[in-house]
Amino acid sequence: MGLAVLENQVGILCVIMVLLLPALCASQDTFTCSRSTYYGSPDCYGTPSGACGFGEFGRTVNDGSVTGVSRLYRNGTGCGACYQVRCTTPQYCSEDGVNVVVTDYGEGDKTDFILSPRAYARLARPNVALELFARGVIDVEYRRVSCHYSGYNLMFKVHEHSRYPNYLAIVVIYAAGMNDITAVELWQEDCKQWRGMRKAFGAVWDMANPPSGSIKLRFQVSGSSWVQSKNDLPALWNAGVAYDSAIQI
């Protein structure tokens, strides 16, 4: 009789473990294992010449906690994405690690993240950053997280390569949440239709001979829904100027 009860209890325990296993695996799978290193910088910030085309925004955004990526670059679609990165060596590493913004493309020794010095230092526990830098390349785990830009709407910056009125290039900045921008279109008033911009490089979208006058813009979010800016690009747009969309995605 006692053996039967014991077997029954073991059976119940096995059922409970089977039911809990997917939840436990999901929790463990939240982070992906990888490796990380850092790049040189005279002021420890990012670089304004990053492959995403962000310019000065890519140097100082997120207080300079930025990164170059390889697989996660995704032909520029990954530009502006945010990740939580934390290293896995307890004697050196902080528990939460650092949240970084993708601003550049870079390849290293089987590394997914090439961090700015400021971001790399923030992986470390207090007073042990030098030891972490001495290692050069470290094991990390990461996950995609929402970007947070307090006080900022999504903005579209007219890229410095633009030439009014014959060539327009824009780069979208301060895109919060966890959404990717996969297409950008401008409204052609005389034809009453939306015209797609070309993916030039990184996060830069361009168009030769853009519509004249003020221009409506809309953005395709993560390959599905379209979100239209509440503010138009002014008729007399200027290269290097960022305009507020009055929306967030």
Side-chain angles (χ1 to χ4, degrees), residues 87-116:
C87 56
T88 55
T89 309
Q91 64 266 39
Y92 299 120
C93 303
S94 65
E95 182 177 348
D96 294 329
V98 62
N99 285 9
V100 293
V101 182
V102 174
T103 59
D104 201 357
Y105 177 87
E107 295 182 1
D109 181 15
K110 298 180 181 178
T111 57
D112 278 310
F113 294 90
I114 303 180
L115 301 173
S116 68

Side-chain angles (χ1 to χ4, degrees), residues 17 40 42 52 57 67-68 70 86 91-92 100 108-109 113 118-119 150 158 167 179 205 209 213 219 225 228 247:
M17 289 302 295
C52 288
F57 174 84
T67 186
S70 51
R86 60 190 189 189
Q91 64 266 39
Y92 299 120
V100 293
D109 181 15
F113 294 90
R118 293 175 76 88
S150 179
V158 178
Y167 174 72
N179 297 304
W205 303 83
N209 301 313
F219 312 96
S225 60
Q228 185 173 331
I247 62 169

